[in-house]
Amino acid sequence: MRCDRVWRHARLATMTNDDMGLVEDGLIASSDGIILYAGPASIAPAWDAADVVDCGGRWITPGLIDCHTHLIHGADRAQEFEMRLAGASYEEIARTGGGILSTMRATRAASEDALVAHALPRLDALIAEGVTTVEVKSGYGLCAESEIRMLRAARRLCRERRVGITTTFLGAHALPPEYADDADGYIAMLCNDLLPQVATLGLTDAVDAFCEGIGFTPAQTERMFAAAARHGLPVKLHAEQLSNLHGAALAARHGALSADHLEYLDQDGIAAMATSGTIATLLPGAYYFVRETRLPPIEGLRRAGVPIALATDCNPGTSPLTSLLLVMNMGATLFRLTIAECLAGVTRNAARALGLRDRGTLEPGKRCDLAIWDIDRPAELVYRMGFNPLHARIWSGS
């Protein structure tokens, strides 16, 4: 059988089941960027390949997927980090003009070219660790011109680098100063004006919101979800990070791809997510950075069979993190996830959190996005801190 490329003498973590789908002496064949075979070499067809790669016993996983980032933004917030070290809370900083509004001002002042240039080093750090797909949110412009500019910049990233980019419209991230004391008016503008523009321009793949006491109410969030549905866009939600507003259950009722953060998630929310198939995206970088002490209900999610994804939440204020390998270590050490759960969280389940059924596992018909590692066992990908064992990254078969 003919194919473009074969990787042989490899060990595979196919991530097709809860035991990581391990294969010794594995082989992968691909054509036109699609996997034709991934499994034991002993039962593989006889492939006639234009290019054969001897992996020398190295491990291959699916390319890693960072399913929750705020990669596009202006400036940083190191000064607020100092304030938190001195005792200020996230809410206190936000209510005094810092937080998201601080980044809003810097983002509005930046050109599209500047936003792309500032994001590329962050993207390059992810790519260097075997990441092949990245979700990028808007939400720091908070007006039509700047939100559209952010999404255009995000779309440009996949033209600047060989990487898959999905975009998410997060206009309902914070209340901009133009709508001070008029959150309902701002939501109306998003639903009736800005979201239709973004959808018509084809700039977003999903719609998100920040359902929180310092963000938007469940009723306002539901209006955003209804507007997304009118444009055929799936939804996801920042939910239960600082309090329990039952946002996860709301998201689940609307068939959300994911509910993210979830430190204050309750049993009703877990049950709703289990019924809807909504992914629980956990963000240990933010948990660590803001010194949160309330753990997400990991055991409850496990018992209910809710799939768990992990992501960097790369953002300038609460998770300035660009290492998905470190996220896996944090998932294990802070949240007590298993090795298999951590790896599934940045491959199979991360793909599901983005509604991408064409990647995240090594099996026929999936995209040939691979990460090849200089490791003796998959646990090393979770165990190490500040060490990158990537040998090669394959995107769309090459």
Side-chain angles (χ1 to χ4, degrees):
M1 296 180 67
R2 294 192 60 81
C3 66
D4 292 341
R5 203 170 189 187
V6 163
W7 292 264
R8 65 179 182 177
H9 298 156
R11 290 180 284 178
L12 312 180
T14 64
M15 304 311 302
T16 53
N17 59 44
D18 290 341
D19 294 323
M20 296 187 286
L22 303 182
V23 177
E24 296 285 345
D25 191 21
L27 181 147
I28 297 175
S30 78
S31 275
D32 299 322
I34 303 298
I35 295 173
L36 302 179
Y37 178 84
S42 61
I43 60 172
W47 294 101
D48 179 12
D51 185 21
V52 177
V53 179
D54 190 326
C55 294
R58 294 182 176 88
W59 281 92
I60 302 180
T61 69
L64 305 188
I65 298 169
D66 196 350
C67 63
H68 180 132
T69 85
H70 304 257
L71 208 66
I72 296 285
H73 58 78
D76 62 42
R77 301 215 308 255
Q79 181 180 3
E80 292 177 17
F81 177 59
E82 292 184 279
M83 292 171 64
R84 277 202 300 275
L85 292 177
S89 71
Y90 180 85
E91 293 93 332
E92 288 169 343
I93 292 170
R95 294 190 190 282
T96 57
I100 294 168
L101 294 183
S102 172
T103 301
M104 178 206 74
R105 292 188 289 273
T107 302
R108 287 184 175 185
S111 68
E112 182 181 317
D113 287 344
L115 291 174
V116 171
H118 293 154
L120 284 175
R122 296 187 281 271
L123 179 61
D124 287 341
L126 293 170
I127 288 172
E129 290 190 347
V131 173
T132 51
T133 300
V134 180
E135 184 256 19
V136 182
K137 302 180 190 295
S138 70
Y140 289 128
L142 307 182
C143 68
E145 180 185 358
S146 296
E147 286 289 300
I148 289 171
R149 185 163 64 245
M150 285 189 72
L151 291 167
R152 289 191 189 280
R155 288 290 201 216
R156 276 181 54 184
L157 295 177
C158 61
R159 299 197 294 272
E160 300 285 340
R161 298 291 186 270
R162 288 173 53 80
V163 65
I165 297 290
T166 70
T167 56
T168 299
F169 175 62
L170 181 57
H173 196 195
L175 191 62
E178 296 88 349
Y179 284 87
D181 302 318
D182 187 16
D184 284 333
Y186 180 62
I187 292 295
M189 184 277 288
L190 294 180
C191 293
N192 300 328
D193 182 17
L194 184 47
L195 178 54
Q197 288 186 61
V198 167
T200 299
L201 292 168
L203 290 175
T204 191
D205 303 305
V207 173
D208 197 349
F210 184 32
C211 184
E212 191 54 75
I214 61 172
F216 296 92
T217 68
Q220 291 160 349
T221 299
E222 192 152 30
R223 289 167 62 190
M224 288 300 307
F225 286 176
R230 289 195 293 272
H231 295 281
L233 292 167
V235 297
K236 54 185 70 175
L237 188 64
H238 287 61
E240 274 76 88
Q241 180 184 9
L242 305 172
S243 63
N244 183 12
L245 296 186
H246 309 289
L250 169 64
R253 288 197 299 274
H254 286 264
L257 294 173
S258 70
D260 302 20
H261 287 290
L262 303 179
E263 281 85 345
Y264 287 80
L265 178 65
D266 62 15
Q267 188 56 48
D268 288 345
I270 292 172
M273 292 175 67
T275 299
S276 68
T278 298
I279 303 297
T281 298
L282 305 184
L283 306 170
Y287 175 92
Y288 165 83
F289 198 75
V290 302
R291 298 179 175 181
E292 180 58 75
T293 57
R294 185 182 178 109
L295 288 165
I298 303 295
E299 193 53 44
L301 292 167
R302 284 179 179 140
R303 285 196 303 267
V306 177
I308 295 172
L310 293 171
T312 62
D313 191 20
C314 175
N315 75 77
T318 61
S319 187
L321 174 60
T322 53
S323 171
L324 210 49
L325 293 177
L326 182 55
V327 164
M328 284 196 286
N329 179 272
M330 288 179 168
T333 57
L334 298 177
F335 294 167
R336 298 296 189 265
L337 298 179
T338 68
I339 299 299
E341 286 172 332
C342 289
L343 284 167
V346 298
T347 55
R348 181 179 72 239
N349 292 340
R352 290 182 60 184
L354 297 177
L356 299 176
R357 299 288 180 166
D358 65 343
R359 65 198 74 184
T361 58
L362 304 180
E363 55 186 323
K366 296 296 181 74
R367 282 179 56 93
C368 190
D369 292 347
L370 316 176
I372 306 175
W373 307 96
D374 281 317
I375 55 175
D376 291 325
R377 56 182 55 82
E380 288 184 48
L381 297 176
V382 181
Y383 153 74
R384 294 186 185 275
M385 295 185 291
F387 179 79
N388 182 3
L390 186 70
H391 172 74
R393 172 185 172 274
I394 308 299
W395 186 75
S396 192
S398 63

